Amino acid sequence: MKTQLIFLGAPGSGKGTQAAWLVKEKGLSHLSTGDLLREEVAKGTELGKKVSEIMSSGNLVDDDTVMELLKNNCDLANHSYIFDGYPRNIEQVKVLDDKFLKSVSYHCLYFKVDTDKLVRRITARRVCSNCNSIYNVISLPPKQEGVCDSCGESALMQRKDDTEEVVKNRIEVFLKTMVPVLEYYQEKNALTEINASNDVEEVRKDLVSALEKRKILS
Ligand code: AMP
C-alpha cells in the first residue's frame, strides 16, 4: 500500500498550489473535499443543494456528508493521495484513522501562515472554473488577465467564499477546530510543519525536502 499524505493549512495557506505541483511532477492524486463539494454544487445534485448555503457562509458541512463523499471518491490501493481539506476537525481525524487509513502509512504536512497574510492572499486568489488551476492576481497572475494558462479558457473567477468577510470566518473556523488535530498528529510523530509564509518556490523546496527526509519522495 502506498504512503498517503494529509495536507493541513488554513484557506490560502497555499496547500492546493503545492498539491497541484506534486500531482503534475510526482504522479500523486489530489483528493480535495472542497473541490468535490463544489462539483456537487455546480452539478446541482441533491447533496450540492444541501451544502451550497453552508459553503457560501464559510461554515463546515456536516461530517457524515463529507465522509460519504470521500468514500465514493477514494481508492487507496491504487493511489498515493494528498488529502486536502480533510480532516477539518478531530472527529474527522478519528474517522480517517478508523475507517480509511487503518494500517495505511501516512504523513501530515501543516502549512502555517499568519492570519493577516492569509486574508490578503485569499482575496487576491482566482480559480479556473474549467480546470481548477489556481492563480493570485498579486503573486501568481495568469499571462493574460482572466484567461487560464493551463486550459486556455476565459474562466478565471473569484470563489464566492473568498471575500474578506467570509475568509475571516473560514480562518476562524479553521484555527478553532485545528488545534486538537495538530496535537493528535504531533503525538503520533506524523506531522511536519512547513513555513508557508514564504514564496511558492521556497515552500516547495521545504516540502520536497521534508518528504525526502521521510523517504516518501526520492
Ligand atoms: P476548501 O476548498 O477546502 O476551502 O473548502 C470549501 C468549503 O467546503 C469549506 O468552507 C466547507 O464549507 C466545505 N468543506 C470542505 N472540506 C470540508 C470538510 N472536510 N468538512 C466539512 N466541510 C468541508
Side-chain angles (χ1 to χ4, degrees), residues 11-189:
S13 58
K15 60 186 167 36
T17 302
Q18 300 299 339
W21 183 82
L22 284 174
V23 168
K24 193 166 168 228
E25 300 297 326
K26 306 288 175 187
L28 275 63
S29 302
H30 190 203
L31 197 56
S32 154
T33 44
D35 283 350
L36 292 175
L37 287 164
R38 277 185 291 278
E39 269 169 37
E40 297 290 324
V41 173
K43 284 192 278 186
T45 62
E46 279 309 309
L47 194 155
K49 283 183 203 149
K50 195 173 91 181
V51 301
S52 166
E53 215 172 291
I54 303 170
M55 291 178 72
S56 302
S57 67
N59 291 318
L60 290 182
V61 171
D62 71 277
D63 290 350
D64 289 345
T65 300
V66 183
M67 205 254 289
E68 192 61 27
L69 197 61
L70 199 61
K71 208 167 75 188
N72 295 337
N73 288 279
C74 192
D75 169 18
L76 290 171
N78 295 305
H79 294 266
S80 281
Y81 284 113
I82 300 167
F83 287 83
D84 177 0
Y86 193 96
R88 279 284 225 286
N89 55 36
I90 194 69
E91 290 75 24
Q92 292 184 359
V93 168
K94 301 267 165 69
V95 171
L96 194 62
D97 256 11
D98 294 347
K99 300 221 168 107
F100 292 92
L101 300 184
K102 209 171 184 178
S103 54
V104 171
S105 140
Y106 68 80
H107 193 69
C108 305
L109 285 305
Y110 174 43
F111 295 80
K112 193 174 178 192
V113 193
D114 299 336
T115 304
D116 286 353
K117 197 158 193 166
L118 284 174
V119 174
R120 267 181 277 132
R121 262 191 202 175
I122 304 182
T123 48
R125 174 161 71 181
R126 298 294 178 270
V127 181
C128 176
S129 58
N130 184 47
C131 73
N132 287 331
S133 292
I134 303 168
Y135 299 88
N136 183 297
V137 289
I138 300 160
S139 59
L140 195 68
K143 290 191 187 88
Q144 196 184 335
E145 199 185 323
V147 179
C148 179
D149 292 349
S150 301
C151 72
E153 292 286 321
S154 297
L156 297 197
M157 45 183 275
Q158 185 173 40
R159 269 170 48 177
K160 256 201 207 153
D161 58 354
D162 276 353
T163 57
E164 186 164 342
E165 192 189 345
V166 180
V167 164
K168 283 187 174 153
N169 185 39
R170 286 166 63 207
I171 294 171
E172 207 173 301
V173 169
F174 172 81
L175 293 174
K176 213 163 47 193
T177 52
M178 262 304 139
V179 174
V181 172
L182 295 172
E183 282 171 0
Y184 178 92
Y185 288 129
Q186 189 89 59
E187 268 168 35
K188 290 195 133 200
N189 192 24

Side-chain angles (χ1 to χ4, degrees), residues 187-216:
E187 268 168 35
K188 290 195 133 200
N189 192 24
L191 182 76
T192 300
E193 191 173 296
I194 305 273
N195 179 0
S197 291
N198 292 330
D199 65 37
V200 176
E201 287 304 322
E202 221 164 313
V203 174
R204 181 169 303 151
K205 265 193 233 151
D206 290 348
L207 173 62
V208 168
S209 102
L211 295 176
E212 284 174 353
K213 208 163 132 196
R214 286 257 170 182
K215 308 214 176 333
I216 296 168

